[in-house]
Amino acid sequence: MTAEASGPRYIVKSDVEPRSIRVDEDGNLWGEVPVILVQGPIGSDKDARVWSPQEREFVSAKFTPEVPDDLPGAGMKPDPLKATSVSEFIELMNRYRRWAGSPSYRVMADRVGVRSSSRFCEALKSDRLPTFSLLNAFVVSLEGTSADFQRWAAAWRALDGQTPARPRRLPLPSAEE
């Protein structure tokens, strides 16, 4: 198919895992992946148009650049496993968002198909651990990988149940002792 060929063209959404994977009798693997219907030259930011299910028409394409990896050994991506408190975890979430290019809350919500962007804003300003589902949407909205989410989930589980910003109570000896 040449670049001038007519008819629908599709591109696979970046960083998605196929679903419903099966093997046919010839040994070929088949799976379902989300695709984007494209009208115009693929890869051209100014002329390409993509199908918008919300608007039910083709709209100008907004190709977002992928977040590049750090240089080997630089290790600038925030590591959630270093959080020892809920407040540190929230600060690492804020740093992770900055590391991913500081997308607006609306862009983050659009990436995961959520109507309200306020939940991301509230979570990053809160003194409480976000819900697990919000954490999942947060990492996905910042184009995190499954390995990234695994680290965030492990850190979340380690902190789940901690109360925010309260001093620890130390048991005091009774007056009789």
Side-chain angles (χ1 to χ4, degrees), residues 23-150:
V23 180
D24 66 14
E25 61 268 359
D26 295 328
N28 296 315
L29 291 174
W30 293 85
E32 298 172 6
V33 292
V35 295
I36 301 170
L37 178 60
V38 178
Q39 188 181 56
I42 295 176
S44 168
D45 290 348
K46 75 176 185 176
D47 294 330
R49 297 171 58 77
V50 296
W51 179 255
S52 169
Q54 294 85 7
E55 298 179 28
R56 297 190 181 278
E57 65 180 1
F58 283 94
V59 296
S60 295
K62 297 175 191 141
F63 293 104
T64 28
E66 292 184 23
V67 177
D69 289 332
D70 291 335
L71 291 172
M76 301 193 68
K77 183 189 294 187
D79 185 1
L81 294 175
K82 292 183 178 178
T84 58
S85 68
V86 172
S87 61
E88 286 179 12
F89 185 83
I90 301 297
E91 175 56 30
L92 284 168
M93 287 178 70
N94 279 294
R95 287 181 47 211
Y96 186 66
R97 180 173 167 249
R98 285 192 302 274
W99 176 86
S102 297
S104 70
Y105 297 123
R106 182 163 311 267
V107 166
M108 291 170 62
D110 288 346
R111 287 179 181 171
V112 293
V114 182
R115 290 186 181 179
S116 173
S117 58
S118 64
R119 292 198 58 207
F120 289 126
C121 180
E122 291 168 7
L124 294 174
K125 292 180 180 178
S126 177
D127 61 349
R128 292 189 202 172
L129 204 58
T131 63
F132 193 76
S133 61
L134 182 66
L135 177 65
N136 184 10
F138 172 79
V139 174
V140 170
S141 74
L142 296 176
E143 300 178 349
T145 64
S146 58
D148 291 334
F149 180 65
Q150 188 175 29

